[in-house]
Amino acid sequence: LPIEAGMINANTAPAEVLACLPGMDIAIAEQFVADRSSLERTDGALSWVVDVLDGEVLVEAGPYLTGSSAQYTADLVGIGARGRGYSRAQFVIDISEGVSKIVFRKEMSHVGWALGELQTEDLAQYTINP
């Protein structure tokens, strides 16, 4: 897949994602996340960013920062009746055009169990009986 430049939500992105931006490294990104969590801010606002990034980093990373998200990743799991059958897929959903659109899908069943310590016998409580 070709690499496309996109925007990163400064209000929610983890340090590992922020560290990929020009001018950022993991130390700056971790401090950014720590500062972000300690500030009171209006959702969607980015004005706080100028207070936590120095000028050079702000100039380099700033064009890639936004205050909202338009793409979401979903890791979906499907399990058959009585725990038989298992399917897992990752989707990227884009809402930037006002309508939800799947822009990427990857089969993930080969990666294995996605539900942590939950075992197939524990799933009976979630079964919907017709």
Side-chain angles (χ1 to χ4, degrees), residues 17-73:
V17 171
L18 293 164
C20 297
L21 293 174
M24 291 261 213
D25 60 26
I26 194 64
I28 294 169
E30 286 174 345
Q31 185 60 52
F32 182 89
V33 169
D35 291 343
R36 174 180 74 197
S37 64
S38 68
L39 295 172
E40 288 188 34
R41 60 188 192 283
T42 305
D43 287 338
L46 283 181
S47 58
W48 63 272
V49 172
V50 298
D51 296 329
V52 299
L53 290 178
D54 74 29
E56 186 176 320
V57 174
L58 185 60
V59 167
E60 290 187 54
Y64 301 97
L65 295 175
T66 184
S68 62
S69 296
Q71 292 82 30
Y72 298 88
T73 301

Side-chain angles (χ1 to χ4, degrees), residues 53-117:
L53 290 178
D54 74 29
E56 186 176 320
V57 174
L58 185 60
V59 167
E60 290 187 54
Y64 301 97
L65 295 175
T66 184
S68 62
S69 296
Q71 292 82 30
Y72 298 88
T73 301
D75 189 358
L76 302 178
V77 174
I79 301 170
R82 294 185 276 294
R84 295 183 184 167
Y86 174 79
S87 182
R88 179 179 182 186
Q90 182 181 68
F91 292 85
V92 176
I93 302 157
D94 186 305
I95 63 166
S96 63
E97 296 174 4
V99 176
S100 298
K101 179 171 60 173
I102 296 171
V103 295
F104 178 79
R105 181 192 184 279
K106 182 177 182 180
E107 172 58 39
M108 299 290 288
S109 298
H110 67 281
V111 176
W113 190 249
L115 300 176
E117 296 180 14

